[in-house]
Amino acid sequence: MGFPLIENPEVVLLSHDVDQSCLLDLFTKYFTKSKEDILKAIKGETVDGYDFSKRILLGIRKFNSPIVNSDESEAENLTFESESDSEIENSESATSYSSSNSLYLVAACIVVAKKVNQHQVLEVVWLATDPSATSGGVGSALFAGVLELAKRRNVSAVLVTSTNRALSWWLSRKNCSLCKYILRAKSRSQLENTRLSPDEVEHERNLAIVNLIVETRKIKSQPFPTHSLLESLYTEKINRNRKGKPTPAQTFRGSAYRYDIDQSNHLWFLVSAHLKKHLGCVN
């Protein structure tokens, strides 16, 4: 049985000495095959050549339990208090989440800050909520906190490398600027033919949501970025002909990020006004 809806979910930056076992337990409820990678990421280590030293840990706690540690340098003067799933307000002071409070976490995410070409980017590598809190809006509040952090840091865009199963949830985000292009490898099936869950009922529900959103919001699935601005968010260059148009033969994988387009769906949530204007948003 789930716990009551959290009326004002508070998104906090987690200190790097947070209780790793409790945080890991939250993530591995969903990402069972990535347990070792997630533990290394929490510690800020390198995983398969990917550097997690600039990772950011964000979370939401279950109760308004007292913060026993306050570290303003760690928290970078950031605390978010959400009045709803989508509205984030500033608070006067910052608190980092100490290890003794980690048992109260109901949602957490691992985000990596990086510079790609001229852009500052936040990459959401893993986001998870306590199964008993999935209908409580904490996931939405947590991602709203990520977007607020991106705005404060003058980030150009936030990348989410979504699994097929989570795709319907990410496409359903409101009050944000989702780029109309989804990048996924050509070798993978089209979205309308993609298996979105091993459970048949969940698959049919998720597929109906994805198809509806893709159709009504004119979202396009691409194996590589055809727009030069979207290309600039990656370290790879697209093969182009003499007229500057992309050629049919491409080897694009979505480099600079933990999961490439062979393994995930690249969804971009645009933050900068320039990208919003020229790339196009669906909500």
Side-chain angles (χ1 to χ4, degrees), residues 171-183:
L171 289 175
S172 302
R173 296 309 86 213
K174 298 178 180 179
N175 301 303
C176 55
S177 300
L178 173 64
C179 179
K180 65 181 179 181
Y181 302 110
I182 296 177
L183 297 185

Side-chain angles (χ1 to χ4, degrees), residues 49-65:
Y50 186 90
D51 183 12
F52 278 98
S53 62
K54 293 185 178 180
R55 86 290 192 205
I56 302 168
L57 308 177
L58 293 170
I60 291 179
R61 47 196 176 131
K62 182 174 180 179
F63 305 112
N64 291 324
S65 54

